[in-house]
Amino acid sequence: MPELPEVEVVRRGLEEILKDQPVLKKVELMRADLREPIPAKKISTLIGEKLLSVERRAKYLLLWTKKGALLSHLGMTGTWRVAPKGDERAHDHIYLHFGGGLRLAYRDPRRFGCFDYVKDPQKHPKLAELGPEPLNADFTGEVLWESLRGKTVALKVALMDQKIVVGVGNIYASEALFAAGIKPTLESQRLSKERAEVLVGEIKKILSRSIEQGGSSISDFAQATGESGYFQTTFRVYGRGGEPCVTCGQQVRAKILGGRNTFWCSRCQK
């Protein structure tokens, strides 16, 4: 599933494509639902409006007009691309037609994405209870430490809780914990304030580095331009269970935590 870096890469690509702020002329829905029903009537109120900005909140994309926004979540296999007339593909479920003949297509073979209307992000059920953005300055070690007090779940599971911090996801939680030298199975409330500072620093560095490298293309992820990311070539523990640790040579361990594959080095991470 695309995580924060991949969604941010798509956001930047769409921002460049839509930088001239075209008018939304038509929303063409090829089906009535994805993971959930698509609110066609509410979305239709944005037709005729100029696109003002392309933003991201957690793993959601928001295409803003003065009357509200189109909200898109890529699910597991969703992609956006420029699709001129004649470039129709299997599993294209949504076409956005803009002034000047520009058309964007949303393609999603597994249909786990969502497409919705947002007026007020503070009241929208998908956005209202989200935690802090990990790349913002107000996400600090102290903020993370405070949010983990009294929590007995494994630290990696907590990092994937969208109410604690948004968008870190499975890959980047594993990589950040390795870089910080902290085992993923550590009980969350046992993380010291000092180690929380280190961990937050590594989360920020790893997410930023992945964005610079176009994200991680593990399965179906592609940028809005159609290119793949290459951060996956730098993974230090993720997906390397049974292989030697890149730092010490110890065999990388693998375990299911919170229903997700987790990888770590028992020598380097304490």
Side-chain angles (χ1 to χ4, degrees):
M1 180 178 290
E3 298 180 6
L4 184 150
E6 290 75 50
V7 179
E8 176 62 19
V9 167
V10 173
R11 186 202 69 78
R12 294 181 183 188
L14 291 175
E15 183 177 58
E16 177 62 23
I17 291 165
L18 300 167
K19 63 183 177 182
D20 294 329
Q21 297 185 320
V23 172
L24 180 64
K25 295 290 190 179
K26 180 181 178 181
V27 177
E28 188 177 4
L29 302 177
M30 309 309 291
R31 57 180 303 116
D33 62 352
L34 292 169
R35 183 174 58 196
E36 302 168 351
I38 299 172
K41 187 174 181 179
K42 289 182 178 180
I43 286 171
S44 69
T45 64
L46 303 180
I47 294 172
E49 294 297 317
K50 179 188 290 188
L51 185 76
L52 301 177
S53 64
V54 182
E55 300 178 7
R56 177 191 56 74
R57 180 67 172 110
K59 299 179 187 180
Y60 295 99
L61 293 166
L62 293 156
L63 280 65
W64 279 101
T65 74
K66 69 178 182 180
K67 287 188 177 180
L70 296 171
L71 177 147
S72 170
H73 190 287
L74 301 177
M76 296 183 71
T77 58
T79 57
W80 284 100
R81 74 179 193 281
V82 175
K85 188 175 180 180
D87 181 19
E88 293 80 30
R89 306 180 191 179
H91 310 297
D92 280 357
H93 303 311
I94 300 166
Y95 294 111
L96 301 182
H97 299 258
F98 293 94
L102 173 66
R103 184 175 73 163
L104 295 180
Y106 176 74
R107 181 175 184 271
D108 190 351
R110 298 188 68 178
R111 301 199 306 272
F112 283 172
C114 72
F115 193 61
D116 206 347
Y117 167 83
V118 174
K119 180 66 174 177
D120 182 353
Q122 301 302 317
K123 296 180 180 178
H124 195 280
K126 290 183 172 60
L127 305 175
E129 296 185 7
L130 292 175
E133 289 283 337
L135 293 175
N136 287 359
D138 58 2
F139 179 60
T140 64
E142 184 167 1
V143 167
L144 177 62
W145 179 76
E146 286 284 355
S147 68
L148 296 178
R149 295 177 68 181
K151 294 191 179 297
T152 59
V153 298
L155 179 56
K156 178 171 174 281
V157 174
L159 291 178
M160 295 175 63
D161 183 340
Q162 299 297 290
K163 293 182 180 180
I164 291 176
V165 58
V166 301
V168 175
N170 192 31
I171 291 171
Y172 302 104
S174 289
E175 292 294 307
L177 286 165
F178 177 80
I182 302 170
K183 63 183 180 181
T185 55
L186 181 73
E187 192 175 84
S188 295
Q189 65 181 356
R190 296 182 61 195
L191 183 70
S192 68
K193 191 180 294 187
E194 293 72 25
R195 298 187 88 192
E197 288 287 355
V198 173
L199 178 56
V200 166
E202 294 299 340
I203 289 171
K204 291 177 184 289
K205 284 191 286 187
I206 284 169
L207 292 176
S208 297
R209 195 178 308 135
S210 181
I211 291 168
E212 291 169 4
Q213 296 179 8
S216 300
S217 291
I218 301 294
S219 179
D220 300 276
F221 170 70
Q223 303 175 37
T225 56
E227 298 174 273
S228 297
Y230 57 92
F231 186 72
Q232 70 275 7
T233 64
T234 70
F235 289 168
R236 303 184 76 189
V237 286
Y238 183 83
R240 300 189 66 246
E243 298 179 22
C245 172
V246 296
T247 299
C248 72
Q250 177 88 5
Q251 188 179 76
V252 173
R253 298 183 64 181
K255 181 179 181 177
I256 302 294
L257 281 178
R260 307 300 299 277
N261 289 320
T262 301
F263 306 92
W264 78 100
C265 173
S266 57
R267 182 177 294 169
C268 294
Q269 295 173 253
K270 304 296 183 182

